[in-house]
Amino acid sequence: MSLSITKEIEDYIASLITESEAQTVSLRRKDLAEQFGCVPSQINYVLRSRFAPENGFLVESQRGGHGYIRVMRLTFKDCDDVVSHFSDAIGLSITEQEARRLLVNFQNRELITPKERLLVEVALRNQEDQGKTIYDISPYKRDIMRAELLTKMLTSLALG
Amino acid sequence: MSLSITKEIEDYIASLITESEAQTVSLRRKDLAEQFGCVPSQINYVLRSRFAPENGFLVESQRGGHGYIRVMRLTFKDCDDVVSHFSDAIGLSITEQEARRLLVNFQNRELITPKERLLVEVALRNQEDQGKTIYDISPYKRDIMRAELLTKMLTSLALG
DNA sequence: TATTTATTGACTTATCTTGACCATTTGATT
DNA sequence: AATCAAATGGTCAAGATAAGTCAATAAATA
């Protein structure tokens, strides 16, 4: 299967960060775009979709002459850090898709194991089935309940 | 009597996974549907009914350009005996106390890890709270629902 | 016959790519 | 200083592509 340009750029930036002692890399938007044969704004798309705070990254930039884009990977000091990261990422309401995406993300970053993800998905699916089939809960409310269960499970995981 | 399309697709995906070193396969929904001469949404039905988390599978997907569906099996050996052991121990109905005792027992025998037990307990308590507070489910029914959720979660673990 | 499972397709949502236009910073020239 | 040109990066929306949802039927099974 062919990789998207977005994925290639993502992997490239991620590898540069991993190689870096300070988990930081500085880029030139224009050069990077040229290197991958895409328009400059594609770089912004990659940053927005892959290196967002909920993915554990910070991005700084400056325009004009000597402009730059700096991407930093955040590290967690203790489990409370992880807990608040989870809470922030989940929020008060979350769709099925967003939840699955978050879990994939957390697993890729090794914040949770595949088995732990499996257990969470089973629990979410169970609640979803019941809410939809038995109790006839509105989609709006189901999103809220999903966020609550997800937060409970991931929080207990991080603290336990 | 011929095999249903669902069964054929299930077997096909399962065989691809088995062949794969990492127990993982990436698919194009549209191509797969074409290959089996069905509508694309049939693939979703197969995934939902056959490759569910409670069966030990994880599914990731992405829409849009360069979209894909990835199916992973966390199973590496035949665990049918463990699964039936769990099912037998749980039964069709189980109280809160019995469930907790069972989980402690399984953890002591190292059939599950402490974190896995924690996740199951959080999910059970969540369902219990909702059943009692929001939906006003009878204790009798709650015991049945507890057995169902417990079975699903432990089954997925045993397979995984 | 009643219930569960499978099949279909119309409609919805998400993701990637591109390009036109906007904003900020630097530095050279008045 | 004040101004302007050059060099960067940012935003947004349109178009193409691909997957997801849901509910109506049909088929199979209890």
Side-chain angles (χ1 to χ4, degrees):
Chain A
M1 293 237 299
S2 77
L3 290 185
S4 65
I5 294 181
T6 290
K7 179 67 177 159
E8 286 183 36
I9 297 172
E10 176 194 357
D11 291 347
Y12 177 68
I13 294 176
S15 74
L16 290 181
I17 292 175
T18 299
E19 284 171 14
S20 150
E21 184 64 36
Q23 301 291 291
T24 299
V25 63
S26 286
L27 309 164
R28 271 294 154 78
R29 189 178 80 149
K30 187 162 141 290
D31 294 347
L32 197 54
E34 219 165 86
Q35 182 179 336
F36 284 93
C38 64
V39 295
S41 61
Q42 175 109 35
I43 306 302
N44 296 84
Y45 176 72
V46 175
L47 294 173
R48 182 160 33 90
S49 62
R50 308 299 213 262
F51 296 92
E54 70 257 35
N55 292 334
F57 294 92
L58 274 187
V59 176
E60 304 171 348
S61 65
Q62 187 161 53
R63 307 185 188 188
H66 309 300
Y68 62 83
I69 296 176
R70 184 150 38 233
V71 188
M72 264 165 290
R73 177 186 278 135
L74 300 176
T75 56
F76 301 110
K77 288 191 299 293
D78 51 38
C79 61
D80 286 340
D81 259 14
V82 179
V83 169
S84 56
H85 178 68
F86 283 159
S87 298
D88 290 347
I90 297 167
L92 298 177
S93 172
I94 192 170
T95 66
E96 214 172 345
Q97 282 274 320
E98 289 169 338
R100 208 173 305 136
R101 182 172 184 148
L102 267 189
L103 288 169
V104 171
N105 179 344
F106 292 156
Q107 185 199 320
N108 286 339
R109 292 158 63 195
E110 299 186 352
L111 297 176
I112 64 176
T113 69
K115 275 191 181 184
E116 288 159 1
R117 176 179 152 207
L118 192 68
L119 282 177
V120 174
E121 294 210 0
V122 171
L124 287 181
R125 186 173 151 121
N126 177 72
Q127 176 173 274
E128 177 72 6
D129 282 352
Q130 290 180 353
K132 212 188 295 192
T133 309
I134 308 178
Y135 306 126
D136 196 32
I137 306 292
S138 73
Y140 172 79
K141 188 69 200 299
R142 293 208 302 271
D143 287 351
I144 294 173
M145 293 171 62
R146 185 178 301 109
E148 288 171 355
L149 177 54
L150 192 50
T151 301
K152 282 182 195 170
M153 295 188 80
L154 290 183
T155 295
S156 74
L157 245 196
L159 293 175
Chain B
M1 167 198 144
S2 71
L3 250 35
S4 70
I5 292 182
T6 290
K7 180 67 177 158
E8 285 184 40
I9 297 173
E10 177 192 358
D11 289 347
Y12 178 68
I13 294 176
S15 74
L16 290 181
I17 291 175
T18 300
E19 285 171 15
S20 152
E21 183 65 36
Q23 300 291 295
T24 298
V25 63
S26 286
L27 309 164
R28 279 256 143 87
R29 190 180 79 149
K30 187 163 139 289
D31 294 346
L32 196 55
E34 217 165 87
Q35 182 178 334
F36 283 93
C38 64
V39 295
S41 60
Q42 175 110 32
I43 307 301
N44 296 84
Y45 177 73
V46 175
L47 293 174
R48 181 169 189 77
S49 60
R50 308 297 210 263
F51 296 91
E54 54 264 44
N55 294 329
F57 293 93
L58 285 177
V59 175
E60 301 171 3
S61 66
Q62 188 164 285
R63 307 187 190 185
H66 296 91
Y68 61 82
I69 296 177
R70 185 150 42 232
V71 188
M72 271 159 288
R73 178 164 54 201
L74 299 189
T75 310
F76 290 102
K77 59 180 194 296
D78 186 25
C79 296
D80 284 350
D81 48 342
V82 182
V83 172
S84 58
H85 175 64
F86 281 153
S87 298
D88 291 348
I90 298 167
L92 298 177
S93 172
I94 192 170
T95 65
E96 221 173 337
Q97 285 206 336
E98 288 169 335
R100 208 171 306 133
R101 207 164 37 232
L102 213 55
L103 286 168
V104 170
N105 182 324
F106 288 159
Q107 185 195 319
N108 286 338
R109 292 157 61 195
E110 296 186 357
L111 295 176
I112 63 176
T113 69
K115 279 193 173 185
E116 288 161 3
R117 177 185 144 207
L118 190 60
L119 281 178
V120 175
E121 291 198 347
V122 170
L124 286 182
R125 172 168 305 176
N126 177 73
Q127 176 172 269
E128 176 72 8
D129 285 351
Q130 289 181 354
K132 215 187 293 190
T133 310
I134 309 177
Y135 307 126
D136 197 30
I137 306 294
S138 72
Y140 171 78
K141 186 72 200 297
R142 291 208 303 272
D143 287 352
I144 293 174
M145 292 171 62
R146 184 178 301 108
E148 288 171 355
L149 178 53
L150 191 51
T151 300
K152 281 183 198 171
M153 294 189 80
L154 290 182
T155 296
S156 79
L157 262 191
L159 292 170

